[in-house]
Amino acid sequence: MARPLEGIRVADFSHVMAGPYASHLLCFLGAEVIKVEAPGTGDAMRNYGPDRRYDGMSPSFIAVNAGKKSIALDLKNPQHLDAAKRLIAKSDVVLENFRPGVMNRLGLGYEQARELKKDIIYCSVSGYGQDTPLRDWPAIDNIVQATAGIMSLSGSPDDPPIRVGFPMVDTLTGQTAALSVMAALMRRERSGGGEYIDVSMLEASLAFTVSAVVPYLVTGKTLARTGNTGYSGQPTTAVFECSDGRQISLGVVQQNQFVSLAKCLEREDWLKDPRYTSIDRRKKHSEALIAELQAALRQRTALEWEAEMSARSIPCGMIRSVDEAADFEFLERRGAKVPLHVPGLPDDQDISVINAGFCMSEDGPGVSSPPPRLGEHGREVLAMLGYSDQDVEELLKA
């Protein structure tokens, strides 16, 4: 079977992470994504990171650009701008994440795009929206983590604000943009007509942190910072050290889970201890229970406890590093890691990228081609846009 978005073409004017992650997901679902990049430099993520051996094809660029096509266009050059307009006219979706107003000034905004393709789906990604007082504020992931309140949620009460250790806002914004594009495509399929979509990193972040934001909207009180203790605040949702020095995180929130935990740790006396007989009592006596849990969990290794507790349906997980998590054996069986050969990498290495995060019973997500070199598909794309061989050569020289 065809993948869900086969036959859909995306004119991708986005760069860095939030926009490219959106088109990355669409690409993995079968869309043809044509990435428009600036001549000479291309997407800034091509050269991201400290290892200059990967310039042009950095690991961060590989992460969200596999399977796409690239054409290098100078959008201030009239000939190249004409090619961009032709591309929009032959596309189903336009995706861009320039500062608000830039695409309009170039003559490639939504109203201009509608003249080229009346049912175009046009998605703009920005920090604070296209028509807000903050529209011109520059925004990158860690800045929006700050303005959206995310940095105030992690850590213990006396800790300074803490940034989430990866560009979470970029990826969740990209996921939000991809979802909105999918919804617009479905609407167009059912009733016709295009759509303008305005995705802001701030609003996407607030939607993503709904479990923290809505309690404030309902009660007027903000959530307390609980460090490594879970959202429930229960002492049985904290992190504990095991005999090998590794740590395990517990997620015991229900009474039946606490009963199983007590039996697993051979501490059935807890079930009769008046301090621990209910959730509220365990929270009241958190300090004492945490000390007893710590003593019990130091009797075995984290890996042993993880296997034993999981077999008993006790929520837990050994704290792993990124490399350990990425090397889970079952990921290969699930197709969660997509093998790719990317020509030109140091030592001509074969690599893997992470799939879209879900499986499908038919022709599910994935790609088989590597990220494009800058302008790699220029000749192919220009021919598809109807340029003659002579015009193609002139545009490429320009």
Side-chain angles (χ1 to χ4, degrees):
M1 293 182 66
R3 285 183 293 165
L5 294 184
E6 285 193 19
I8 298 295
R9 178 176 293 135
V10 179
D12 185 6
F13 294 86
S14 68
H15 52 283
V16 186
M17 183 61 73
Y21 187 70
S23 58
H24 163 80
L25 294 175
L26 301 174
C27 181
F28 270 49
L29 288 170
E32 179 189 26
V33 176
I34 298 176
K35 187 176 180 68
V36 179
E37 302 185 71
T41 57
D43 190 331
M45 291 300 281
R46 285 186 175 275
N47 304 319
Y48 186 81
D51 193 335
R52 299 278 67 85
R53 296 179 303 158
Y54 290 94
D55 277 358
M57 195 64 72
S58 76
S60 295
F61 180 82
I62 292 171
V64 294
N65 286 287
K68 299 178 184 179
K69 298 177 179 179
S70 171
I71 182 171
L73 295 176
D74 177 0
L75 298 178
K76 295 180 181 179
N77 178 311
Q79 288 179 295
H80 287 208
L81 184 62
D82 177 70
K85 290 179 178 179
R86 291 197 191 193
L87 175 60
I88 290 173
K90 287 183 172 287
S91 297
D92 300 280
V93 178
V94 171
L95 179 66
E96 63 92 10
N97 66 344
F98 289 107
R99 291 274 192 94
V102 169
M103 288 291 275
N104 284 329
R105 290 196 294 272
L106 290 169
L108 300 174
Y110 176 56
E111 294 302 326
Q112 296 104 324
R114 285 183 65 191
E115 294 176 4
L116 299 167
K117 181 76 176 291
K118 65 179 182 179
D119 62 351
I120 195 73
I121 292 165
Y122 195 111
C123 181
S124 294
V125 178
S126 64
Y128 302 100
Q130 300 293 311
D131 59 356
T132 74
L134 310 185
R135 57 169 275 169
D136 295 320
W137 286 19
I140 60 174
D141 183 275
N142 63 298
I143 299 302
V144 180
Q145 284 198 34
T147 59
I150 294 171
M151 290 177 65
S152 71
L153 294 172
S154 298
S156 298
D158 294 331
D159 289 339
I162 297 176
R163 180 185 68 86
V164 176
F166 70 100
M168 180 189 77
V169 169
D170 280 339
T171 48
L172 70 88
T173 301
Q175 192 171 60
T176 301
L179 174 65
S180 69
V181 168
M182 294 282 287
L185 286 168
M186 178 172 285
R187 176 184 173 279
R188 190 180 73 174
E189 180 71 19
R190 289 176 171 176
S191 58
E195 189 94 43
Y196 181 71
I197 303 168
D198 180 357
V199 178
S200 83
M201 297 168 74
L202 176 64
E203 291 167 87
S205 298
L206 292 174
F208 193 74
T209 55
V210 61
S211 59
V213 175
V214 173
Y216 161 72
L217 295 176
V218 173
T219 68
K221 299 178 181 179
T222 57
L223 293 180
R225 301 171 77 189
T226 59
N228 286 325
T229 299
Y231 178 66
S232 68
Q234 294 187 46
T236 48
T237 61
V239 171
F240 300 91
E241 188 174 284
C242 301
S243 64
D244 56 348
R246 299 294 298 267
Q247 293 176 309
I248 192 167
S249 179
L250 299 186
V252 175
V253 294
Q254 299 173 18
Q255 182 62 25
N256 66 309
Q257 294 169 345
F258 179 71
V259 171
S260 296
L261 177 65
K263 292 178 178 178
C264 180
L265 298 178
E266 298 182 351
R267 290 301 309 268
E268 293 185 57
D269 57 296
W270 290 346
L271 304 178
K272 298 177 182 179
D273 191 321
R275 297 174 299 172
Y276 308 146
T277 53
S278 71
I279 290 173
D280 289 339
R281 288 175 180 175
R282 290 195 288 275
K283 288 181 72 172
K284 182 178 179 180
H285 299 282
S286 287
E287 188 174 338
L289 182 52
I290 285 174
E292 294 198 62
L293 280 164
Q294 182 60 86
L297 288 164
R298 281 205 175 102
Q299 302 307 307
R300 298 174 67 179
T301 69
L303 201 59
E304 289 171 337
W305 280 128
E306 182 183 56
E308 173 71 17
M309 291 184 186
S310 296
R312 293 172 178 252
S313 298
I314 300 169
C316 71
M318 185 178 79
I319 295 179
R320 288 172 168 82
S321 59
V322 171
D323 57 312
E324 290 175 315
D327 286 338
F328 266 125
E329 181 184 0
F330 79 89
L331 294 177
E332 279 78 8
R333 297 200 304 270
R334 295 267 300 174
K337 292 196 292 188
V338 180
L340 287 179
H341 179 72
V342 182
L345 288 187
D347 303 320
D348 199 35
Q349 65 197 83
D350 290 323
I351 64 160
S352 295
V353 295
I354 297 299
N355 210 333
F358 55 88
C359 300
M360 301 176 75
S361 63
E362 305 301 334
D363 195 352
V367 292
S368 57
S369 57
R373 297 186 302 276
L374 176 59
E376 178 180 349
H377 302 92
R379 184 170 277 102
E380 172 190 338
V381 173
L382 291 171
M384 179 271 293
L385 296 179
Y387 287 97
S388 67
D389 291 345
Q390 181 178 347
D391 288 340
V392 168
E393 296 306 319
E394 289 181 2
L395 281 164
L396 292 177
K397 287 178 182 177

